[in-house]
Amino acid sequence: MKEKLVTMAKQAMKNAYAPYSKFKVGAALLCSDGSIYTGCNIENSSFTPTVCAERVALFKAVSEGKREFSAIAVCGGIDGVLTEKFCHPCGVCRQALSEFCREDFKIYVVSEDVVKEYKLSDLLPFSFEIDIPEESNS
Ligand code: THU
């Protein structure tokens, strides 16, 4: 499954719309039911509306009713070319993932020929959270 996610993240990276930074990112998010949602970064001339690949994948999945996730693969590079450098999820995306993903959620960070593996809690210890009543937790 790791290899499939990596392949799908690389494929999704090709759809990145990044005319300003030229930095293209792709992500593939594995839901607990086995379905996979991909995302790419989508930039904007006004800059702040820009969204990262990870959040596009997450929001696509959540908007389709998914709430439980197992893993995400992320890759990125200038003009979509992977090098020996890794594209780690930004802080905002880590926090966005933490809303729905447990501490053991896996993050596969992909370079040209290496895949590093982390748990969400490795990359975002002490994430911000607010306890909400169980019945409104949907
Ligand atoms: N980007 C992502 O898609 N994911 C990240 O985790 C970090 C950054 C995008 C946003 C922007 O389009 C480009 O990379 C350069 O910051």
Side-chain angles (χ1 to χ4, degrees), residues 17-18 21 23-25 40-43 50-54 74 87-90 93:
Y17 176 75
S21 73
F23 196 90
K24 296 188 169 193
V25 183
C40 62
N41 54 328
I42 305 171
E43 297 188 344
T50 293
V51 282
C52 294
E54 299 92 320
V74 183
C87 174
H88 300 91
C90 78
C93 288

